[in-house]
Each structure stands twice: as C-alpha cells, then as structure tokens.
Amino acid sequence: MARRHAHGLTPSITWRVERTGRIPLTSKNGRSVLDLHLGSRRVGTHRTALGRQSPRPARRRETPVVDSTRTQGYAEPMTSSGARTPRVTIAIPTFNRLGGYFPQALASALAQDYENLEVLVCDNASTDGTDVYMSSVTDERLRYLRHAHNIGAHANFNACVDNAAGEYLVLLHDDDLLDDGFVSSCMSALGEAREAGTTEVGVIRTGSRVIDARGSVRSENRTDTSGLSDADVMVRWFERKTPLYMASTLYNTAKLKAIGGFSSPHGLYQDVKATAILMARHGRVDVDEVLASFRRHADNRGTSVRAVEWAEDALHLLDVLVSEFPAKREELRRLGSVYLCEKCLRVASGIPATKDRWQAYRQVATLFDGSVSPLRFETKRIGRQLRSRLRSGVKRLMAPRAVAS
C-alpha cells in the first residue's frame, strides 16, 4: 500500500494587506518584488496562466534547444567542490506573457520563505521582451533558459522537467501563483513523514484556490484526503471533493523523469496522469492548507482546443487510472466517465457556431458511450444567454435619456 502522511501546518504568509486594498509582495529579505493592486476578495497568492503557450499538442518529447547565453546566475548542482544543489525547483514555462500574468507568477516564486530552492524560467522563444525583462531581475536563485525557437507548450513543460536541478519540482504555469509558504510547508510535511518512517514519496499535494482573471477568489478547496488510499484520492477528485492542480503539487523530480515527464495524447491531462502514476507507485504526502492559486480566465490553454481532443485525452487518463489502481477499477471507470464527459461537454458548449457545437456534443457523447446528455449543457448555455440579454435590456431601460431642447 502506498504510504502517505497528512498534517496541519500554519504557513507563514508574508503578504501585507493595507487599507487601500494594495498587497505589496516582499521577498524574505524585505525587497519589493511586485506590487499588486487587488480588490476586496482578491488574494496576493494566485496561480497565473503564462506558461500555457500554444495550443498545439506534442505527441512525443523533443530535445529542447536552449540558448545557454541567456542563462542567469545560479550555482551549479552539487559537485566535488561543494556547490549546493537546490532541494526544490519552481519551474515556470512561459511564452509572450510579459504584459499579462508572468511577472506575478515569477514574483510569487521568488517570494518563497524556503531557502534552498531555484526558480527556473523556460522561455519558449517569446517575442514580447521577456528576455530583456529577465535580464533586469537579479536573484541568485534564478535561472533563465530561452529556446531558440518555439517548441510547443507540452515540450516546454518537459524542458522544465529535464532542466530542473531540485530533488522536488513544482511546475508553475505563468498565470498561476504560489503562497510564499508553499514550499516550506511541503518540505516540513515531507520531513514529518520521513520521521514517521516513510522512505519514498512521489508527490506532495496542498489545497488550492481558483481565482478569476482579476484575482478574485471563486472557490477554495483543502486536500481533505488524510488517511485515504491513493486510489481514493482519484475517486474524490471525480466527486469534486479534492483539487488536483499543477500549482499545488510538488513532484519527485527523479521519479517524474523516470516515467517520461508529462505525457498524454494531446497534452491536456498529462499533469493528472503524472500525479496518479507517482502516487500509485511511490506514495504521497498531503498538506491540507490552501497554498496555491489556479487562475481561470478566457486565455486558459484548453479553451481553444477541440472538445474531441479533450475527450481522447480523458479516456487515455481513465485507462491509466484503472491500470494503476486495479482494486478500484470499476468505481474509477464509472465515476470518471461521468466527470470527464461533463468536462469535455463543457468545452464543447463554448463553441459559438450551433452546427459545430452540436457536432462536438455528439462526438464527445459517443466516445463516452452516452455517459452524460449534452442537453443539460445546451440548456445552461441558453440560460446564460437569456440572462445576459435581460441584464443588457435592464441597463438600457435604466440609462438616463437625453432631454430634447
């Protein structure tokens, strides 16, 4: 049985909220890293989506072409001369997000209160001045690698894995955010687990929050999986009772590399697949607190990908889960078919053209053997449109009218 450990830690958050609603982000040495203007229900630690670059999938891993002249100063991994190897790598894949969320993602990584880490930025040949911006950021923990040409989002994720020097790795999308106590809380939990006799850990999970494009909190979920088997973690994910996001997951780097990094047919559920495999084979540690933020916004990578590709990736994930957790295969197949079909139908419901939308509905429903009817999603879509038109009509009626002279 896979070993696991749960605990309750109070993270040492260094966000300082002022009456103005401004949350200045400061690093552990007090330097200002970034100043964020946030509203009443905004958080200072969010997840950003910068790293979700181009939507094209990579079915096989490419060898990244790295412009080594853009590498910034970080000590080499441990050598006979005694140079220090980082315990944790925070890797940020990015492409043309300098004017968006990337600076916030980078700031949240550099604001960690854990000492022994590196922050690795893998730039997928950005053309928006990201390289110039990075040359102005001076921090001994920072490494910046720039590809000579765009290798695709999926290959860039694995470039992060291949170049990570840390024993553990979190892949932080460039639109996501980490609380400043994320790494230290995870490492404390890992230490407690090892003191209790755990010798091998594949992943360390924390709770997470979902925020919108402006940073407003939409939902928060603790892990809430203490004492459960690894298979039951996946069951609870299908039941929407525990979150699974890259930003809230630390991977054992060597174990992740051993399974080929992040891989799936279309590069869509590759993170969940890697999490499940490492849990099944090497166990996990749970940190119940919410310590990372996933940002949901119009530019999220999946919104531009065909619903059928999501469905094919989802079915591949299901096959992996029933293979890794055979004792729960029937329950996982039953719950997963409904949950994943709903996810794919939701993608299809965003297609504007009626004919194309219904074609996608039928294709997804067929792939999942009719697990969920598309009618519910179309009904919700019509309801949203009617509410939007009603609000617009009310605004027009309430608008002040000019008086004729």
Side-chain angles (χ1 to χ4, degrees), residues 123-144:
D123 182 356
N124 211 357
S126 295
T127 58
D128 62 351
T130 296
D131 55 341
V132 177
Y133 173 79
M134 290 301 298
S135 67
S136 70
V137 182
T138 56
D139 192 300
E140 64 180 7
R141 300 165 299 169
L142 182 63
R143 279 202 295 149
Y144 173 57

Side-chain angles (χ1 to χ4, degrees), residues 51 53-54 56 61-72 91-96 120-128 130-131 134 143-164 171:
Q53 302 104 347
S54 58
R56 74 173 185 265
R61 295 181 62 179
E62 299 182 36
T63 301
V65 179
V66 178
D67 181 359
S68 59
T69 63
R70 298 300 306 145
T71 301
Q72 285 194 232
I92 308 175
T94 190
F95 175 69
N96 281 354
L120 170 66
V121 175
C122 286
D123 182 356
N124 211 357
S126 295
T127 58
D128 62 351
T130 296
D131 55 341
M134 290 301 298
R143 279 202 295 149
Y144 173 57
L145 305 179
R146 185 178 189 275
H147 300 295
H149 64 276
N150 191 309
I151 62 174
H154 182 71
N156 198 29
F157 296 164
N158 282 316
C160 290
V161 177
D162 294 337
N163 287 282
L171 196 147

Side-chain angles (χ1 to χ4, degrees), residues 138-204:
T138 56
D139 192 300
E140 64 180 7
R141 300 165 299 169
L142 182 63
R143 279 202 295 149
Y144 173 57
L145 305 179
R146 185 178 189 275
H147 300 295
H149 64 276
N150 191 309
I151 62 174
H154 182 71
N156 198 29
F157 296 164
N158 282 316
C160 290
V161 177
D162 294 337
N163 287 282
E167 180 185 355
Y168 284 88
L169 161 75
V170 57
L171 196 147
L172 180 67
H173 287 301
D174 58 2
D175 55 350
D176 294 341
L177 296 166
L178 299 175
D179 291 18
D180 63 352
F182 171 82
V183 174
S184 59
S185 294
C186 289
M187 291 296 100
S188 294
L190 177 63
E192 292 178 18
R194 287 180 170 169
E195 288 179 2
T198 298
T199 58
E200 189 174 65
V201 173
V203 297
I204 307 170

Side-chain angles (χ1 to χ4, degrees), residues 21-34:
R22 181 182 301 237
I23 304 179
L25 175 60
T26 57
S27 63
K28 63 181 184 298
N29 60 10
R31 293 178 309 187
S32 177
V33 181
L34 182 66

